[in-house]
Amino acid sequence: MATGTPGPVLEILRKYMPFDRMAPEHLSFLAAHLRLGFYPKDEVIALPEEGPAQRLFIIKQGHVQGRPKGPNGISPNAAWEKGPGEVFPMGALQNRRPVDTAHVAVEDTFCFELDLADFNRLLAESPVFRGFMTSGAQVMEQLLRREVQTVSISRVSEDLPLSAPLRSFVRRAPVTCRVDTPVYETFKAMASERVGSVVAVDGDGRPRGILTLRDVLPRVVLPRRPLETPVSEVMSPDPISLPADAAAADAALLMAQHGVAHLCLVDDGRLVGVVSERDLFALQRVGMVHLTRSILNAPDLPSLARAAASIHALVDQMMAQGVTARPLVRIITTLNDHTARRAIELELAESGDGLPAFTWLAFGSEGRK
């Protein structure tokens, strides 16, 4: 059936990408050439044996699934599902080929439909439409990420973006010592230089260990070690290091994985700086390392739940700072893994031998990190 006046159609299209970014003349052309089709539940909209695709479908209402079709008919299992505002079949139209799956309405569904000739004209005249149709998911991801980042920035404070190189976060030259330096001299250096760490280096300036203020109590004070003890006996050997040009997001991921608050920056293996959690998240409300430790050391399940709830705030802040999808999802996965592991530990401690033997499995995107 025809759509009638394009005015209401324009209002609907402007709710979705890429139509909300198309030039007015191109969007008006699209709205004027659409027809509205109705497909009741379980009706097949397109099949591979029908030949090359002839129409673009934009779902107005309802849902459509792509289901594999074999010798025994159409599978009940969906390969994909699309809802309002989504389009199909982009690849088949552009490559002049049949659809790969049976397209089935899974509920009463209305679709706007654009004939092939009008689709080709719009593809040629609208750069936004063409870019979306040829790049598809990549364009959608970029646009969504830009919008999410804009919203996130409005809610959180912003320092340097975590896509910046680590050397951008270095505030001063690193405070160093030899591995045989007495610990009291390192304490004096921390106090006078107002830093939270001292890096022990060899004669070539390569980091061999690191001593932080957090190490002082458990490694020096409580064991009552003499202040003349060489730093080599209390430092953390082989400190975690990254190239100075590595992205700050890489440092954030390592901090989350290892629960450390300081990383050494190296050029050709030689120490050039130290970056702390405070440097990376100076203006953030949720600290990466603090959150990791809160999860790992949660005394009970309610405390763990409160700590895990802060993951959302941390993610929001990192999106505001421009962290891209790959490092962001790895950080989320790491924190989720910490949460699951701690929940299991707490349950085992409470149940003792009351639980049967079990295996914990993580599937899907969580399992792939």
Side-chain angles (χ1 to χ4, degrees):
M1 74 179 69
T3 60
T5 174
V9 180
L10 285 172
E11 293 181 10
I12 296 172
L13 293 177
R14 288 194 183 104
K15 297 178 182 178
Y16 306 107
M17 292 186 290
F19 314 115
D20 59 341
R21 288 168 171 76
M22 290 172 59
E25 63 272 20
H26 299 146
L27 188 60
S28 295
F29 173 85
L30 172 62
H33 290 79
L34 289 175
R35 294 179 300 165
L36 185 63
F38 170 70
Y39 300 90
K41 181 181 178 181
D42 296 327
E43 182 169 338
V44 176
I45 301 174
L47 287 168
E49 56 264 33
E50 292 176 343
Q54 298 297 314
R55 287 172 292 173
L56 178 73
F57 295 84
I58 305 170
I59 301 175
K60 176 181 181 288
Q61 178 182 325
H63 286 81
V64 176
Q65 288 182 348
R67 298 177 180 175
K69 189 174 185 296
N72 299 323
I74 299 174
S75 169
N77 301 317
W80 52 261
E81 182 171 323
K82 294 180 180 290
E86 296 187 277
V87 301
F88 66 91
M90 296 186 291
L93 279 171
Q94 294 176 86
N95 296 304
R96 308 292 189 266
R97 61 170 176 79
V99 296
D100 295 324
T101 59
H103 293 44
V104 182
V106 295
E107 58 183 321
D108 288 352
T109 299
F110 290 88
C111 291
F112 293 124
E113 302 174 13
L114 185 69
D115 288 337
L116 179 60
D118 296 323
F119 171 83
N120 288 332
R121 177 176 171 181
L122 194 60
L123 203 67
E125 295 181 0
S126 172
V128 173
F129 185 77
R130 181 170 61 252
F132 181 80
M133 293 297 153
T134 55
S135 300
Q138 292 90 341
V139 172
M140 175 85 73
E141 179 188 352
Q142 292 171 3
L143 294 174
L144 281 172
R145 179 155 49 86
R146 195 173 302 136
E147 289 189 355
V148 169
Q149 183 177 355
T150 299
V151 173
S152 298
I153 287 174
S154 69
R155 294 199 295 257
V156 299
S157 299
E158 182 179 36
D159 195 9
L160 286 173
L162 290 184
S163 57
L166 282 170
R167 66 171 71 251
S168 304
F169 293 79
V170 175
R171 310 300 187 202
R172 50 163 302 146
V175 178
T176 63
C177 68
R178 301 188 309 273
V179 293
D180 59 351
T181 301
V183 293
Y184 78 88
E185 290 190 11
T186 64
F187 297 163
K188 287 169 57 178
M190 287 187 199
S192 62
E193 299 292 338
R194 296 183 179 181
V195 295
S197 65
V198 172
V199 181
V201 297
D202 61 19
D204 294 324
R206 301 177 185 276
R208 297 304 180 193
I210 186 170
L211 182 68
T212 70
L213 286 176
R214 184 169 175 261
D215 301 325
V216 172
L217 185 64
R219 299 184 186 182
V220 180
V221 176
L222 293 180
R224 298 185 177 181
R225 286 180 176 270
L227 294 181
E228 292 77 18
T229 301
V231 71
S232 59
E233 296 185 18
V234 295
M235 69 185 186
S236 298
D238 303 318
I240 298 173
S241 302
L242 282 174
D245 289 328
D250 296 333
L253 177 61
L254 284 177
M255 288 179 178
Q257 289 175 332
H258 298 280
V260 298
H262 295 80
L263 293 178
C264 295
L265 308 188
V266 295
D267 270 341
D268 296 326
R270 292 178 172 82
L271 183 71
V272 295
V274 175
V275 170
S276 70
E277 179 203 15
R278 181 176 297 179
D279 295 329
L280 294 183
F281 302 99
L283 298 181
Q284 292 192 355
R285 293 168 293 150
V286 179
M288 171 75 72
V289 174
H290 175 74
L291 178 55
T292 300
R293 292 172 181 162
S294 296
I295 291 173
L296 293 176
N297 301 314
D300 49 46
L301 287 176
S303 299
L304 179 62
R306 287 192 296 271
S310 296
I311 295 175
H312 299 287
L314 179 65
V315 169
D316 201 30
Q317 295 162 15
M318 297 182 78
M319 285 192 296
Q321 291 204 346
V323 180
T324 55
R326 186 177 297 275
L328 185 62
V329 297
R330 290 189 65 193
I331 289 171
I332 295 171
T333 299
T334 297
L335 294 173
N336 286 347
D337 287 346
H338 288 333
T339 303
R341 186 175 294 110
R342 186 56 182 160
I344 293 170
E345 292 171 351
L346 291 170
E347 185 62 27
L348 287 173
E350 181 177 341
S351 302
D353 297 330
L355 284 179
F358 68 91
T359 300
W360 177 271
L361 298 177
F363 290 98
S365 60
E366 182 77 13
R368 295 190 300 270
K369 298 189 181 298

